[in-house]
Amino acid sequence: MDWKPHARRLAEEVADPVSRWRPLIAETARHELVPRWWSRSQGGWVLHNGAADPGAWSRAVYSDRTLVTRVGPLHADHAEPGRTATGPATSSSTLPSLVIQMYRHGRLYPGADLLDVATGSGYGTALAARLLGDRHVTAIDVDPYLTEAARDRLDRMGLHPGLITGDATGPLPGDYDRIVSMVSVWPVPASWLSALRPGGRLVTTIANTSIVLTAWKTDDGRAVGKVEPDWAGFMSTRHGADCPPGPGDRFDAVKDADGDSVTRGRYPVVNLSDAWELRSMLELAAPGVQTYYRQDGEQRTAWLLHQDGSWARATARFIDPPDVHQGGPRQLWDVLERIRHRQNTEGGLPLHGSRVEITPDGACHLSRGRWTATIS
């Protein structure tokens, strides 16, 4: 594959002409790091083998898109031709613009020692190693195959950063000036603050939200910063070969069930997957809630499920007030409506731009005006 023209085009798309990242993207052969990937289709995931279709390969890897490389416990590299898969995505090569966005939040500088959390395909690690130098970059992933494959592929590209197999939420080797995570967490692991040098900077996203959190390490072991006026979404950390099961296995049981409470909602049904700030605020209010949405013509239906047994279903035609069924110990739709009422009353929500204080145990205390929330 004559990949360099494609890499230059990608660099021009995702980085400004004066950006120090533009030449690094143009010099990085992303196709060597993503030889196979999965794409979502109706009913599951379809396997793509780059070598079998070089044109499709170049279009996929040199576009600004995330390429899923692992579904459940099955990596695309290990799947048989024609194989389909079902389950959640568990690893990917993140879209290049988001990788750069996270590194920019990290305020990387020459000589900084970086811990890159979640190696994935190794693409972000490659860009960081080109910027900072091999000896200043360490990447960690829980999956031994990912770190092994990334090491081999980066070696062939002439890049030799440190690669560690391990659970990034546990104890970390070494200490660092910067920790940038390409996986989401809840809460921030205490080990990250222990491994971050005083004056160092942490960048991460919070699980099941669009929150990009940045903070500077203080001399007393805390970190202070803010929720950036920015949005990003990453897979959540896992501690084994697959993601733990969530409340989704109860979805069929409550999908059409009559609720213990049946009311008329105040606001139209919304697809929370597209309403990032609402979704983030709901997660802070009811951590672990899962959302589902379906639209049939003008009829919209949304479901909320939680591990504690709470559930809600709201159905309405277009923007009409919905009929709401709820069950379990909490009224989840009422929680969402209170957030939406605040948004309408105040003209916005207080989350993005809020102040953050992270205590040594990893708990994140958010505040803006009279609003407070804790991620712990």
Side-chain angles (χ1 to χ4, degrees), residues 144-166:
Y145 176 72
L146 294 179
T147 53
E148 175 189 345
R151 180 180 292 108
D152 291 344
R153 291 164 182 170
L154 290 170
D155 281 349
R156 290 198 295 270
M157 297 166 66
L159 298 171
H160 312 287
L163 287 158
I164 301 170
T165 300

Side-chain angles (χ1 to χ4, degrees), residues 2-267:
D2 182 13
W3 60 272
K4 290 190 175 181
H6 303 293
R8 286 196 297 269
R9 175 182 47 77
L10 175 62
E12 292 167 1
E13 179 182 348
V14 302
D16 294 334
V18 296
S19 171
R20 59 182 176 169
W21 294 104
R22 181 178 277 200
L24 306 184
I25 296 168
E27 296 166 7
T28 302
R30 192 184 185 206
H31 72 284
E32 293 186 11
L33 300 166
V34 191
R36 307 174 102 201
W37 70 98
W38 300 98
S39 66
R40 193 185 294 275
S41 68
Q42 187 173 4
W45 298 86
V46 175
L47 179 66
H48 298 270
N49 181 1
D53 189 343
W57 192 12
S58 64
R59 288 191 297 273
V61 295
Y62 294 107
S63 63
D64 191 28
R65 56 182 279 202
T66 291
L67 298 175
V68 171
T69 53
R70 195 174 185 276
V71 174
L74 182 60
H75 197 287
D77 290 353
H78 302 146
E80 297 176 0
R83 174 73 184 267
T84 59
T86 58
T90 50
S91 190
S92 68
S93 180
T94 301
L95 68 159
S97 63
L98 182 53
V99 172
I100 299 308
Q101 174 184 335
M102 295 297 285
Y103 285 154
R104 284 172 175 156
H105 282 306
R107 308 288 197 269
L108 306 185
Y109 63 91
D113 291 324
L114 167 69
L115 178 66
D116 180 27
V117 179
T119 310
S121 70
Y123 181 69
T125 307
L127 296 178
R130 291 191 185 281
L131 179 72
L132 300 175
D134 291 343
R135 69 186 182 89
H136 291 292
V137 177
T138 301
I140 185 170
D141 203 291
V142 72
D143 189 326
Y145 176 72
L146 294 179
T147 53
E148 175 189 345
R151 180 180 292 108
D152 291 344
R153 291 164 182 170
L154 290 170
D155 281 349
R156 290 198 295 270
M157 297 166 66
L159 298 171
H160 312 287
L163 287 158
I164 301 170
T165 300
D167 187 341
T169 64
L172 297 174
D175 53 1
Y176 307 93
D177 299 299
R178 299 290 186 266
I179 297 178
V180 178
S181 178
M182 305 291 178
V183 68
S184 64
V185 294
W186 182 297
V188 171
S191 60
W192 292 11
L193 265 70
S194 297
L196 194 63
R197 295 168 183 158
R201 185 168 173 85
L202 165 69
V203 182
T204 189
T205 54
I206 301 300
N208 298 321
T209 76
S210 60
I211 294 173
V212 178
L213 184 153
T214 62
W216 298 95
K217 174 83 172 282
T218 60
D219 291 337
D220 60 4
R222 299 175 302 125
V224 294
K226 65 180 179 179
V227 173
E228 295 287 343
D230 198 357
W231 292 264
F234 284 95
M235 300 171 193
S236 299
T237 51
R238 55 185 171 87
H239 309 288
D242 202 352
C243 296
D249 55 358
R250 295 190 296 105
F251 179 71
D252 287 341
V254 304
K255 181 173 65 175
D256 300 310
D258 292 331
D260 301 328
S261 167
V262 182
T263 59
R264 178 61 58 85
R266 182 171 186 176
Y267 300 107

Side-chain angles (χ1 to χ4, degrees), residues 341-364:
H341 184 66
R342 178 176 197 146
Q343 184 180 45
N344 288 347
T345 301
E346 299 180 2
L349 291 169
L351 177 58
H352 291 97
S354 61
R355 182 181 184 275
V356 174
E357 178 185 352
I358 309 174
T359 51
D361 61 358
C364 304

